[in-house]
């Protein structure tokens, strides 16, 4: 109300306002509702002569909103070659012992698990991740750098390591490969390892045929729904 009264006084005391009201009317209509706590304005102050007023449609103020942010993925890298060459029979989550420069290089995206495999120790108490590549950190000195393909110990329970050792020794053609690396909820690097059996050429061709069939079926369903 105080703002409306001051605006009426301005209209009566300023003769130049009558000439420029057609230009300032839209600004006033957009300024006043936000000050009075309303979302639209339907009327213009009656202090102006009716002949000088122009017909103005009510203005609707656009309220701001928040943009939806995409969920950030915790996945670091995926070993697609393992899914192509092996049949995954069982999966298991495992931690890994890393150095400081290795963690920083992983955050920079310098890890490759394509050629990695897991070797079980003969005592059956631990497992070692072999032949994965973690590049050197750019801003670290040579003394603090790590070896790019050094063996890295996996953090597993004795029962889990012993069970993996038994399955790989007793069953021929079985191996353990890293399938995926990701960040946990505690912001630690975790690996998804899989107990796998190697595929032959016939199995690979069968998987390709199944994948192509599913792709063709989805394409036909999509085109049918579109029409």
């Amino acid at each position: 109300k105080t703002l409306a009264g001051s605006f009426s006084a301005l209209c009566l005391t300023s003769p130049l306002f009558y000439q420029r009201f057609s230009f300032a009317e839209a600004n006033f209509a957009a300024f006043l509702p936000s000050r009075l706590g309303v979302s639209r304005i339907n009327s213009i102050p009656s202090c102006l002569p009716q002949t000088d007023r122009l017909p103005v449609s009510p203005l609707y103020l656009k309220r701001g909103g928040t943009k939806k942010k995409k969920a950030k993925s915790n996945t670091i890298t995926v070993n697609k070659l393992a899914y192509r060459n092996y049949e995954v029979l069982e999966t298991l989550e495992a931690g890994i012992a890393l150095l400081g420069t290795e963690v920083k290089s992983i955050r920079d995206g310098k890890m490759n698990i394509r050629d990695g495999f897991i070797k079980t120790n003969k005592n059956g108490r631990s497992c070692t991740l072999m032949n994965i590549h973690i590049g050197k950190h750019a801003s670290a000195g040579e003394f603090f750098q790590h070896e790019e393909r050094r063996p890295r110990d996996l953090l597993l329970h004795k029962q889990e390591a012993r069970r993996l050792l038994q399955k790989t020794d007793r069953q021929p053609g079985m191996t353990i490969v890293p399938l995926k690396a990701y960040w946990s909820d505690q912001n630690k690097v975790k690996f998804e390892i899989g107990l796998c059996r190697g595929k032959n050429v016939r199995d690979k061709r069968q998987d390709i045929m199944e994948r192509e069939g599913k792709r063709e079926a989805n394409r036909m369903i999509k085109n049918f729904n579109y029409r």
Side-chain angles (χ1 to χ4, degrees):
K1 296 181 180 180
T2 307
L3 183 61
S6 61
F7 184 81
S8 301
L10 177 64
C11 295
L12 296 176
T13 56
S14 178
L16 188 60
F17 183 81
Y18 294 100
Q19 300 177 3
R20 299 184 178 179
F21 179 75
S22 59
F23 300 98
E25 187 175 11
N27 295 331
F28 170 77
F31 170 77
L32 183 60
S34 61
R35 295 298 182 181
L36 297 181
V38 296
S39 60
R40 57 177 292 183
I41 182 169
N42 294 323
S43 60
I44 303 300
S46 59
C47 62
L48 297 176
Q50 297 294 331
T51 56
D52 295 338
R53 293 177 59 184
L54 299 176
V56 179
S57 60
L59 298 178
Y60 294 88
L61 300 181
K62 183 178 180 181
R63 296 182 179 180
T66 58
K67 295 183 179 180
K68 294 183 179 180
K69 296 182 179 180
K70 294 182 179 180
K72 187 177 180 180
S73 177
N74 294 331
T75 303
I76 301 173
T77 181
V78 178
N79 190 359
K80 296 182 180 180
L81 189 64
Y83 290 99
R84 177 181 178 272
N85 296 334
Y86 299 99
E87 179 185 359
V88 181
L89 303 178
E90 183 181 350
T91 59
L92 188 66
E93 184 187 52
I96 186 172
L98 296 174
L99 301 178
T101 54
E102 293 176 340
V103 177
K104 293 179 181 179
S105 298
I106 291 174
R107 292 188 182 277
D108 295 338
K110 296 181 179 180
M111 183 171 66
N112 184 10
I113 63 175
R114 180 186 179 96
D115 301 326
F117 63 94
I118 294 169
K119 179 181 179 182
T120 57
N121 295 341
K122 294 302 180 181
N123 55 10
R125 294 188 176 184
S126 61
C127 296
T128 306
L129 183 61
M130 309 290 291
N131 203 33
I132 67 167
H133 182 272
I134 300 179
K136 294 185 177 181
H137 188 51
S139 60
E142 188 65 28
F143 179 78
F144 300 99
Q145 289 289 359
H146 59 272
E147 296 181 11
E148 296 179 347
R149 292 188 179 271
R150 72 177 184 90
R152 297 172 175 90
D153 294 332
L154 291 180
L155 306 179
L156 291 171
H157 293 287
K158 293 180 182 179
Q159 295 81 2
E160 295 174 344
R162 189 177 297 112
R163 183 166 55 88
L164 293 176
L165 177 62
Q166 292 174 358
K167 290 188 177 182
T168 53
D169 286 347
R170 295 177 181 178
Q171 301 179 12
M174 302 292 291
T175 184
I176 310 171
V177 295
L179 301 177
K180 183 174 66 173
Y182 57 92
W183 298 101
S184 66
D185 296 336
Q186 291 79 21
N187 204 19
K188 296 180 180 179
V189 180
K190 297 289 184 178
F191 275 84
E192 180 182 353
I193 61 177
L195 183 65
C196 305
R197 180 189 294 118
K199 292 181 182 179
N200 52 25
V201 178
R202 182 180 303 175
D203 295 335
K204 293 180 182 179
R205 291 177 179 175
Q206 185 66 25
D207 292 342
I208 293 174
M209 291 174 61
E210 292 178 359
R211 184 170 63 249
E212 293 294 334
K214 290 181 180 180
R215 187 177 301 172
E216 185 67 23
N218 294 333
R219 187 183 298 111
M220 293 175 63
I221 294 173
K222 182 178 179 181
N223 295 335
F224 179 77
N225 294 335
Y226 179 74
R227 293 178 182 176

